[in-house]
Amino acid sequence: MQSGQIDLGLAPPARLGRLTLTPALRLIRRDDGVEEVVEPRVMQVLLALAEARGQIVRREDLTLRCWEGRVVGEDAINRVLSRLRRVAEGTGQGSFRIETITRIGYRLIEEGAHTDGPAESAAQPSERAALPFPRRAVLAGMGAGGLALAGAGWWRYGRSDMPAPAREAMERGIEALRLMTPDHLAVAVAAFRQAAQLAPKAAAPWGCLALAWRWLDGLSHGQEASLDAQRARDAAQTALRLDPDNGDAQATLATLVPKYRNWLAYERACQPVLMRHPGEVGIGILTIDLLSNVGRIRDLSGLARGLLASNPAWPWLHTAVALSSWCLGRLDEADGAIERAFQQWPRHTTVWFQRQMMLAYSGRGAAALAMIEDEDHRPVGLPDWDFDLAAAETRALMSRSRADIDKASSLFRERAGQAVGIATGAVRFFAAVGRLDEAFKVLEALYFDRGFDVKDQAYTKEQGTYIQRWDRPTWLFWLPPMAALRVDPRLIPIFQTTGLSDYWQKSAKHPDFAIAGGVG
């Protein structure tokens, strides 16, 4: 029997009867497409029972593995078991049931499986000892996980030559990679390194490692960013020595060149990789990032939708589809995309704040405020002032009263210099309420360092992410609240300084919206 605390962020996907379990997302998906997101404790207990393979799990073992060894009353355990039984009767119908062994503990019985020993594994006999769950070896094409394309098609790169522990490490790495936070990317780096050590002749671990370092580089600053970039380059070159056609490695090297004010060269570096590997998430996300900044939202929408169809377990792709649909005036499609993401990752910071913003700026402020006021279900690890700012912004958009707008404006002026993300939020708000002069003051600081300094933090210091001076975002211009600002002549020198005007002229690819200067 397994021992030790269950960490959902590190636990790999698993099969249980007709179900696919994705612990990091707390997602249970049946093979007919029915799915459910459960509470963290429910997923932990389900994993603990499933790992026992039909053997009895004592209450003491459950508290050790799922409650960090804390003393908890029977009521707490019973509540979780009750919820788990409801899952078994609903989404999990025909897959498993829970038995209570009086005064001892519980056991999970997989429907159709033997209960007196390990269930038969789909892996080869030599692999079974390394697999914590029945039928975990063959995971390619899973509906919830989409592992066949998750990291950029790593399954195609010598999977059959990789030992089971290396495949396990790859799966853990890809699960972490999808969430794209600094902590999850660090987990991904460790997992891919382990896979590379276990399968030294396989290019896939090195390619995925390069991609993880590449994304960490984009979130870091100073010396750390330089080190991450070099690590990404080294891992990519190792992957290409093993397999010159490794898509992740090609994507990494193509996009280590500067993007800001270098849009056309960046695009030309990305294009051949995207054409060679059109279904791979790595180069796809990096290309989407480019398209969002240069205003090609229709192209972005098509690319994001295509990738999402094969890779539904990437929160970033859901938000890209939602945001592009909103920008293009397709509110129903935008709502559908962000709601699907919110159901799966309700406390993911990007998903939560994007949903709150879209509600606030599309006339549904009451729903946005309800999110903010529901403290038990907000993203964790963020300061209260971040939510206070969002609440003031939302109230001002709802009431349009001078007092509420003044209050939100004052908070934005106070905070705009603390982070790039807050500065872009300030521009969005000022544009939406018709205070374009204030919007341009923030833009002057953001792009020209005039008036006040905007620090390199992406958002709050608690999140630990950064946007460096040479990588300032321009995607904010295409949001719906920015319509009036986009056609203001004062935006022309900003388009010129950021290199957008040069890109549009030389590429003959214009933004999808009317803008100052008339190239849209």
Side-chain angles (χ1 to χ4, degrees), residues 466-480:
Y466 299 86
I467 298 174
Q468 301 185 66
R469 301 285 167 136
W470 47 263
D471 197 25
R472 294 299 202 201
T474 55
W475 53 261
L476 67 154
F477 295 125
W478 322 119
L479 298 176

Side-chain angles (χ1 to χ4, degrees), residues 62-76:
L62 286 179
T63 59
L64 177 65
R65 304 202 65 202
C66 307
W67 277 269
E68 298 84 38
R70 297 197 303 270
V71 177
V72 296
E74 288 193 6
D75 286 348

Side-chain angles (χ1 to χ4, degrees), residues 46 75 85 172 177 245 280 284 301 315 323 407 413 450:
L46 177 56
D75 286 348
R85 286 192 170 100
R172 289 198 307 274
L177 190 70
D245 197 37
E280 296 187 3
S301 180
L323 206 57
K407 180 179 179 180
R413 284 193 294 269
R450 297 173 188 163

